[in-house]
Amino acid sequence: MSNARSIRLSRALLVAGLAAVLSACAAPAPPPPPPPPVAVVIPPISLSPRVVEQASAYRAYVARASAISPGFTGGGDVAQSLKTGEAYEPGQLLRGAIAYGAVVALQDPAFVAGVRKFAADPDQRRTVAYEIMKDPAYAVGFAGSSSAAGLVMTALGDDGRKLLELGRSVRQAAYDVQHQAWSKADVPGRDSRLALAKALSATPVLGEVGETARLQMAVSGPGQMSVTGESASPPYTPLVIHSLAVAALAALGYADDNSLAQVLPILAEPTSATCLNMSKLNLYQCLAVAKPHYEDVFCLGQHILTDTGHCLMKGAGVPEPVDPRVQAAAEAALQKASTTTTVKRHVKKRSRN
């Protein structure tokens, strides 16, 4: 090998070595940037329109029945009031009451916040929703449940009280109208009237469009409805518990149309269902034997308005108000008994003297 060639090879090896040394001393390449964080999607509060419609139908019935006037002037007034009052299907009314209770519970910010804190994690949200579906009483454990329950009890209790107190007035009218000749005449077509009552009691009704829209807007967040109530401590009635459960599922995003099959069973509970069904059976029996118009007035007052109001108040866990007429009669009877006893003692004392 020539000297020139040897020199060139040495130079090449030297350059390569220097390049390797420089490369080893160079700063390492920066690591690739981390992937962007996965956005946490918290589902909105949602309640299936079919459930909201049930709440609206319930509200529509309460509004129509509460507008019945006890000032009857003829058989036509009685017949029309009967149609208005008996036009509810017990199962639908109960579903509507629970659904309305759920919308009311969603107005409580503490309860909504207590549920929503479990909505950020998908796995936790799914687990909590499953527990509620399995046992609606699970909803009582959320923070804010006592104040939400108080709202539900007040709202449903007020509806029941309206019907019950109106029913008492109508029942009293059954005695008052007997001073009018028309009230003593027999009701025409009694068999068809009973058949109509059974048909209306088996026919689902629709809610008012405006009320349905109002309730749907109220689902989206607390404070949309002007409802008030004091916090209530457990135990709660099944109706109140089921209302809280549906509201909790809505706050978790598990009460929309996709979860309807799991929500619908919660819109029922046997205690209130039995009460409402019994009021209907008592109505049918009353109409079957009633002949004059004033007896129809009694059936309306007792077995439609009073009994239905009683079922709602009992379902809400709210005590019934004392009937002032009954209280006055009881006080009068007590006073009479006391006076009679005093007179007897006085007579007995005089006889001994």
Side-chain angles (χ1 to χ4, degrees), residues 111-200:
F111 179 70
V112 172
V115 178
R116 293 286 285 174
K117 71 180 183 179
F118 298 100
D121 183 271
D123 292 334
Q124 191 176 45
R125 181 172 68 93
R126 188 182 308 108
T127 299
V128 171
Y130 172 75
E131 293 297 332
I132 297 171
M133 294 172 184
K134 186 172 63 174
D135 180 9
Y138 189 89
V140 177
F142 292 113
S145 62
S146 59
S147 53
L151 291 182
V152 176
M153 293 169 65
T154 299
L156 297 181
D158 285 349
D159 288 343
R161 186 178 294 106
K162 289 178 185 177
L163 298 178
L164 183 138
E165 292 182 342
L166 175 59
R168 290 172 174 175
S169 297
V170 171
R171 189 176 59 195
Q172 179 60 41
Y175 300 100
D176 297 338
V177 297
Q178 292 182 41
H179 300 292
Q180 303 175 36
W182 65 266
S183 71
K184 301 177 184 179
D186 285 353
V187 176
R190 292 173 52 238
D191 292 341
S192 60
R193 174 209 52 180
L194 177 58
L196 177 61
K198 292 180 178 180
L200 291 174

Side-chain angles (χ1 to χ4, degrees), residues 34-103:
V38 178
V40 177
V41 179
I42 302 178
I45 302 172
S46 59
L47 191 58
S48 169
R50 289 180 58 183
V51 177
V52 176
E53 171 62 29
Q54 294 292 310
S56 179
Y58 161 80
R59 293 295 296 160
Y61 172 78
V62 172
R64 288 193 294 265
S66 299
I68 293 174
S69 171
F72 302 105
T73 59
D77 290 344
V78 178
Q80 183 56 49
S81 296
L82 273 174
K83 291 178 183 178
T84 300
E86 64 202 11
Y88 77 81
E89 194 275 317
Q92 183 189 27
L93 189 73
L94 177 56
R95 290 192 297 273
I98 295 174
Y100 179 63
V103 177

